[in-house]
Amino acid sequence: MSSKGGGTALTRRNYRLSSDTDKPKATGIVNEKLLSDYLHHVFPSTKQGPAVASLRKPLGFQDLGSHLESLLSEGEPIEDSKDQPVEGRLGPQPVVLDHTSGFEGLLFVDDDLLGVIGHSNFSSIRATTCVYKGKWAYEVLISSQGLMQIGWCTLNCRFNQEEGVGDTPDSYAYDGNRVRKWNVTTTNYGKSWAAGDIVSCLIDLDEGTITFCLNGQSLGTAFTDIKTGPGVAYFPAISLSFKESVAFNFGSRPLRYPVEGYLPLQNPPASELTKAHKLLGYIKNVLCTAIDVQDDRLVQKDCSLWRLHGEPTILITLAHIFNHFAPLMCKVYLVEDVLMNFLLGILEGGGSVDEHPLIQQLMDLFWLLMEDYEVNECLKQLMMSLLRAYRFSPIIPDLGFQIHYLRLTTAILHHEKSRKYLLNNVLFDVLRSVVFFYIKTPLRVKEAGLEELIPTTWWPTHFDKEGKDEREPKDESADERLRRRAYERGCQRLKKRIEVVEELQVQILRLLLNNKDKSTGEASRYIFLNKFRKFLQENASNRGQHPTALCPPEYMVCFLHRLITAVRTCWDEGNRKNPGSVRSEEAYVPPQLFYNGKVDYFDLQRLGGLLSHLKKTLKDDLASKANIIIDPAEIQSTSMDDLDEDEESGAAQRPFGAAAMGGALARPSWLSSPTLGRANRFLSTAAVSLMTPRRPLSQPEKVKVRTLTVEQRTEEDIEGSHGNDGLLLGRPHEEPEQPVADKSLLEIVDGIVMMYNLSVHQQLGKMVVVADDVHEYAVALKDTDEKIARCPARRADILEELQKSQKVFSEKLNHLSRRLAWINATIYSKEKMLDVYWLLCVCIRTIEHADNTSSLFAFAPEFYLNVAMNAYSALKNYFSPANSMDELPGYEETLAKLAAILAKHFADPRIVGTDIKDSLMQALASYVCYPQSLRAVERIPEEQRVAMMRNLLAPYEQRPWAQTNWILVRLWRGCGFGYRYTRLPHLLKTKPEDANLPSLQKPCPSLLLQRHMAELLSMDKDMAASFLNSVLNQLNWAFSEFIGMIQEIQQAAERPERNFVDTRQLKVCATCFDLSVSLLRVLEMTVTLVPEIFLDWSRPSAELLLRRLAQLLNQVLNRVTAEKNLFDRVVNLRLPGLESVDHYPILVAVTGILVRILVDGDRQGISRAASVLLSDPCFQLHSIQHLLGEGVEPSSSSAGAATSTARPVVGSLGSSVAPPIPSAAGNSGSSERKHFSLHACSEPWSRVGATGDHWPPQHPPLLSWQHRTFP
């Protein structure tokens, strides 16, 4: 018999069936009468009623084939009627997207011609079939929620890169991104859509109306009186912007939300559907009927208890059924409508998947009675249907749909042979199986049922700069406390329901990580390992080149958390069997994985540079330390590969138009069809191909990917055996010989770290925006409430507007607080925080072990350091304040270990990448801005602290110095003159963009690290001289650049014509000013801690350094203090971007240095400093008078008064009396001299102190200033 399915002539398995010629009348299986009764029971005829059952013809296996054929042909339509065209529709069947002529722009289309991705500004495509009469429907599965217009168009519609479906007279569209409908003009319509929604497009050509539905709910009639009549026919069509994607269902699968009276554009396979349902009924009859041979009767039983015991009668009966059933199960419509619903029905009773063994029995039956290619196709279509159903199911409070589909997926994967086939061929190759581990976030809270689950909403109303709730519980009102507790209970209910889904997802991964199922070949875990590595390779290699091939970051986040849970569970199970092995709490990736060639890192950057370079330069170290010999031929071949890549990249630069039709892209597309993974057709219209945009529309550069070694590996290569260390080959002497239970898990942990680096961290930061929105709306609502309370009763109009605003803010907060509950449960929960913390600890331990290998540390991939820094940042900025970091186990110790890594490696010569070096330096700079992490730096061993300070004090030339200078400034801030402010005093009344920025943290100076700096500069005279010379050089450069730029800004501002100053120029100007101030602060720090560097002229370079310092200070003072000077004019312009440019920060920095060398030193030092300052050619007395407050009269002109107000003075350098306190009446009419930061800005200055201390400080005179450190 040849198969009717698949289109390939393959011989079916031949089952030798019992017949009259083979067997005597009394068969050895069952007697003839009992067999006849059994077969009539299994295959009941619809024509025979119970009354004539006794008159029916005896039935045996020899007649069963013809009997079954006659049963299946009952009610089947006549052949001629099958192929008759349906009235009202024109076009071929099946209906697909028209990839030959019906498109405009650049598009990717999937293999099945149903999924599409936009690849240009606004691409359009229509279907191959049109309708002109009747009522028709099709569905669109929304894969991304961006700009798209979906609907209907006629053949006359002409689209371009700006106008699509709905922008021409005879086209009509719904746009759920902007919530509008389009037909030349546009009006509001419908609801916003989200990824995972299904849009139904309905057209009634009898009434002339078009309607759209979202997830089965009608959005109302969108268009009436549409054009109809002779020559007018409508095609399904879509226009979509770059990277947006959808998949169409014209009827090739059952419509998810069929509408009564409307037909799908594609005919359902009615005849085959009837057959499949009949055959399924016969299978159910077999499952529910047992033959009692002893009592010679049939017994009804529960089909869930059925087992495949190999009874010949039952097997032969099933073989006849499957002869017809198997070919039908290769068709997606029948699999989804018949088989999937049948299997789901088996699990409907609830209970664990293990309590439903019938599915396992059915899988055994499929593999026994179907051809391998039929089972393969059936399983593939079944998993595609399940994935599609899971992804596009609406969210309801109990997540019932998602749980239902995940349970069936788990049940199928429980079957070993099916699991291995799916792993080998489907889950990562054809399907985007990572979707199974994703829980989508609802955008429409009401439809998701969150209002019932969380009836009471609450939001924090008082935040400090660090984002924590300022209000203490004792200040919370009783009503607020009740609301908060009710909200928290609702959040807990939601979290428990989400945890059910997460547990099922982890179960699936644990099945895929099974390493004991070796009876049918290679264990599942090793198949998964290879596929997982290829998945990572595709996402790492395509970053920035072919975005449609990347797994979306929101999927990655969920996949990462489930994988961590599953891996840790497997790890701990192995540890229990081998108690001496490493526990999952202490997991790390041994350094030999980075250089022994067992794991492919697909050309990702190593700390020491390219792998090919490291193999050449460190081959001797590998041989001596790890006993690994690099084959010279391999080094040579690597070099040749690099040459080949250069040659091939040129050949790849051909336009996409050359591969327009059928040019295959080998990358799976994550943005297109919900299940299929490959976009094989790239469509390009001539109009677009002839365009010459700024970036040529060329094929992505070819990335030469070496064949993954994992594909040739066996279990022994990974786990090792006697005398073979497997993945741990090449253990260096420094690495402890501690056993690892399952070495294969090490590679998965390594992959998890890589996943976090690829996109998870970015997504964690992106989702924080919802919490930020809650905070902003809460502040706005509180402000509105206060305005309502102050609103006078006579202004009813204002009160009405305020109350409208209040209502809008309240509704928005109710919506956002419920969304935030969902996001906190799925992304920022305590369990997810522990996962990220575990990952941080894994990276820290891995870096520590790799560091111990000395030169071999260069082989470690850069992403380990990146993940260590980013995971800490995520814990600090994204998970708090919802969860406290202090509650994490061993958090203080982890903080100190990370501090040691940053302190050691920011200047590590083994690290060559400039990007990773900058990241390390920025992380250290951020680290010293917060008291808790700064104390962690102070807790690292003294030797490492001193080494860190020595690296920070290295000369600034020939290296990036701005960040290291910033680190020194933060160690000093809070100790300098007038340097206790958190924000610049003149900016206190403005709101910072982000109060959590490291630069806006309260001063927390480190006296311990200052002491190390003083000792180093004092003891090493050469280092001190070179360091200070480089600081003075950079100060000279930064301040000169600043002056040059403000001259240009002033000239632009004085031009009569309307002009705009480039914002980039303003930003660079402000940066140069900030650098000048920070360099002056480092000089102040140095002259305070080690004054002898300048004043002890027995040191060889002291006098020269003092003269250079005096010259620069005079230049700065002259520029900043001159009357009506350039600096004044630019500051008074108050340009956006130059807010930080002001007199105060730079003058107090200069004053701090002058006070130290002219006031607080010994007599000889003061004398030397004064003589050098006065003898400098640039010295101008008015600059010092300006600081002393002399020569500025209050009765001067208005311009002068403005200048004196903007430039108050610091105080008399020679005075032994504390600066005068401003009176309550301010400075109007007073003849007192204005003192910098005391009189003119007395009100804001009172908030300058970091701990609430007021200006002017109630301290002894400036002569004793050096003892005034930050409290």
Short mmCIF file of all heavy atoms in Angstrom, two decimals, residues 445 487 769-770 773-775 777 811-823:
data_model
loop_
_atom_site.label_atom_id
_atom_site.label_comp_id
_atom_site.label_asym_id
_atom_site.label_seq_id
_atom_site.Cartn_x
_atom_site.Cartn_y
_atom_site.Cartn_z
N VAL A 445 -5.17 45.60 30.94
CA VAL A 445 -5.32 45.01 32.27
C VAL A 445 -6.71 44.41 32.47
O VAL A 445 -6.87 43.33 33.05
CB VAL A 445 -5.03 46.08 33.33
CG1 VAL A 445 -5.51 45.64 34.69
CG2 VAL A 445 -3.54 46.38 33.36
N TYR A 487 -3.47 45.34 48.37
CA TYR A 487 -2.73 45.26 47.10
C TYR A 487 -1.68 44.15 47.14
O TYR A 487 -1.53 43.38 46.20
CB TYR A 487 -2.07 46.62 46.83
CG TYR A 487 -1.20 46.68 45.60
CD1 TYR A 487 -1.75 46.67 44.32
CD2 TYR A 487 0.18 46.77 45.71
CE1 TYR A 487 -0.95 46.74 43.19
CE2 TYR A 487 1.00 46.84 44.58
CZ TYR A 487 0.43 46.82 43.33
OH TYR A 487 1.22 46.89 42.21
N VAL A 769 10.84 50.94 33.30
CA VAL A 769 10.12 52.16 32.93
C VAL A 769 8.70 52.18 33.49
O VAL A 769 8.16 53.25 33.78
CB VAL A 769 10.12 52.33 31.39
CG1 VAL A 769 9.20 51.31 30.72
CG2 VAL A 769 9.72 53.72 30.99
N VAL A 770 8.09 51.01 33.69
CA VAL A 770 6.72 50.97 34.24
C VAL A 770 6.73 51.51 35.68
O VAL A 770 5.86 52.30 36.06
CB VAL A 770 6.14 49.55 34.18
CG1 VAL A 770 4.74 49.52 34.79
CG2 VAL A 770 6.09 49.05 32.75
N ASP A 773 7.06 55.17 35.55
CA ASP A 773 5.79 55.81 35.19
C ASP A 773 4.86 55.91 36.41
O ASP A 773 4.21 56.93 36.61
CB ASP A 773 5.09 55.02 34.08
CG ASP A 773 5.79 55.16 32.74
OD1 ASP A 773 6.65 56.06 32.61
OD2 ASP A 773 5.50 54.36 31.82
N VAL A 774 4.82 54.84 37.21
CA VAL A 774 3.99 54.86 38.42
C VAL A 774 4.44 56.00 39.32
O VAL A 774 3.62 56.76 39.86
CB VAL A 774 4.08 53.51 39.17
CG1 VAL A 774 3.47 53.63 40.56
CG2 VAL A 774 3.38 52.41 38.38
N HIS A 775 5.74 56.15 39.49
CA HIS A 775 6.27 57.20 40.35
C HIS A 775 5.89 58.58 39.81
O HIS A 775 5.43 59.46 40.57
CB HIS A 775 7.80 57.06 40.43
CG HIS A 775 8.46 58.19 41.16
ND1 HIS A 775 8.14 58.54 42.45
CD2 HIS A 775 9.44 59.04 40.77
CE1 HIS A 775 8.89 59.57 42.83
NE2 HIS A 775 9.69 59.88 41.82
N TYR A 777 3.41 59.48 37.76
CA TYR A 777 1.97 59.73 37.88
C TYR A 777 1.57 59.96 39.34
O TYR A 777 0.68 60.76 39.63
CB TYR A 777 1.16 58.58 37.28
CG TYR A 777 1.00 58.69 35.79
CD1 TYR A 777 1.74 57.89 34.92
CD2 TYR A 777 0.09 59.59 35.22
CE1 TYR A 777 1.60 57.98 33.55
CE2 TYR A 777 -0.07 59.68 33.85
CZ TYR A 777 0.69 58.89 33.01
OH TYR A 777 0.55 58.99 31.65
N GLU A 811 -6.98 56.94 37.21
CA GLU A 811 -7.23 55.80 36.32
C GLU A 811 -5.93 55.23 35.78
O GLU A 811 -5.75 54.00 35.70
CB GLU A 811 -8.14 56.24 35.17
CG GLU A 811 -9.58 56.50 35.60
CD GLU A 811 -10.43 57.05 34.46
OE1 GLU A 811 -9.86 57.32 33.37
OE2 GLU A 811 -11.65 57.22 34.65
N LYS A 812 -5.03 56.12 35.40
CA LYS A 812 -3.75 55.66 34.86
C LYS A 812 -2.97 54.90 35.93
O LYS A 812 -2.35 53.86 35.66
CB LYS A 812 -2.95 56.86 34.36
CG LYS A 812 -1.72 56.49 33.54
CD LYS A 812 -2.11 55.94 32.18
CE LYS A 812 -0.90 55.62 31.33
NZ LYS A 812 -1.23 54.98 30.07
N LEU A 813 -3.00 55.40 37.16
CA LEU A 813 -2.27 54.73 38.25
C LEU A 813 -2.89 53.37 38.58
O LEU A 813 -2.17 52.42 38.88
CB LEU A 813 -2.24 55.62 39.49
CG LEU A 813 -1.12 56.67 39.49
CD1 LEU A 813 -1.36 57.69 40.59
CD2 LEU A 813 0.23 56.01 39.69
N ASN A 814 -4.22 53.29 38.53
CA ASN A 814 -4.87 51.99 38.76
C ASN A 814 -4.41 50.97 37.72
O ASN A 814 -4.10 49.82 38.04
CB ASN A 814 -6.40 52.14 38.69
CG ASN A 814 -6.96 52.80 39.93
OD1 ASN A 814 -6.40 52.66 41.02
ND2 ASN A 814 -8.05 53.53 39.79
N HIS A 815 -4.37 51.42 36.46
CA HIS A 815 -3.92 50.54 35.37
C HIS A 815 -2.45 50.15 35.56
O HIS A 815 -2.09 48.96 35.51
CB HIS A 815 -4.13 51.25 34.04
CG HIS A 815 -3.52 50.55 32.87
ND1 HIS A 815 -4.17 49.54 32.19
CD2 HIS A 815 -2.31 50.68 32.26
CE1 HIS A 815 -3.39 49.10 31.22
NE2 HIS A 815 -2.26 49.78 31.24
N LEU A 816 -1.59 51.16 35.79
CA LEU A 816 -0.15 50.90 35.88
C LEU A 816 0.22 50.08 37.10
O LEU A 816 1.13 49.25 37.05
CB LEU A 816 0.62 52.22 35.89
CG LEU A 816 0.72 52.96 34.55
CD1 LEU A 816 1.36 54.32 34.74
CD2 LEU A 816 1.52 52.14 33.55
N SER A 817 -0.48 50.28 38.21
CA SER A 817 -0.12 49.53 39.42
C SER A 817 -0.43 48.04 39.25
O SER A 817 0.29 47.19 39.75
CB SER A 817 -0.88 50.08 40.64
OG SER A 817 -2.28 49.93 40.48
N ARG A 818 -1.49 47.72 38.49
CA ARG A 818 -1.79 46.31 38.21
C ARG A 818 -0.78 45.72 37.22
O ARG A 818 -0.34 44.59 37.37
CB ARG A 818 -3.22 46.17 37.67
CG ARG A 818 -4.29 46.48 38.73
CD ARG A 818 -5.70 46.22 38.22
NE ARG A 818 -6.66 46.40 39.29
CZ ARG A 818 -7.49 47.43 39.38
NH1 ARG A 818 -7.47 48.39 38.46
NH2 ARG A 818 -8.35 47.52 40.38
N ARG A 819 -0.40 46.53 36.22
CA ARG A 819 0.65 46.06 35.29
C ARG A 819 1.95 45.84 36.04
O ARG A 819 2.69 44.89 35.79
CB ARG A 819 0.87 47.11 34.19
CG ARG A 819 0.10 46.86 32.94
CD ARG A 819 0.71 47.57 31.75
NE ARG A 819 1.82 46.81 31.19
CZ ARG A 819 2.75 47.35 30.41
NH1 ARG A 819 2.73 48.63 30.14
NH2 ARG A 819 3.71 46.60 29.90
N LEU A 820 2.25 46.76 36.95
CA LEU A 820 3.49 46.65 37.71
C LEU A 820 3.49 45.39 38.57
O LEU A 820 4.53 44.74 38.75
CB LEU A 820 3.67 47.89 38.59
CG LEU A 820 4.99 48.00 39.35
CD1 LEU A 820 6.17 48.06 38.39
CD2 LEU A 820 5.00 49.23 40.25
N ALA A 821 2.32 45.01 39.09
CA ALA A 821 2.23 43.78 39.88
C ALA A 821 2.60 42.58 39.02
O ALA A 821 3.32 41.67 39.47
CB ALA A 821 0.80 43.61 40.42
N TRP A 822 2.14 42.58 37.77
CA TRP A 822 2.46 41.48 36.85
C TRP A 822 3.97 41.45 36.57
O TRP A 822 4.61 40.41 36.59
CB TRP A 822 1.67 41.66 35.56
CG TRP A 822 1.85 40.53 34.59
CD1 TRP A 822 2.93 40.30 33.78
CD2 TRP A 822 0.93 39.45 34.35
NE1 TRP A 822 2.74 39.17 33.04
CE2 TRP A 822 1.53 38.62 33.37
CE3 TRP A 822 -0.32 39.11 34.84
CZ2 TRP A 822 0.90 37.48 32.89
CZ3 TRP A 822 -0.94 37.97 34.35
CH2 TRP A 822 -0.34 37.17 33.39
N ILE A 823 4.52 42.63 36.27
CA ILE A 823 5.95 42.71 35.94
C ILE A 823 6.80 42.32 37.14
O ILE A 823 7.81 41.62 37.01
CB ILE A 823 6.29 44.13 35.43
CG1 ILE A 823 5.65 44.33 34.06
CG2 ILE A 823 7.79 44.35 35.37
CD1 ILE A 823 5.70 45.76 33.57
#
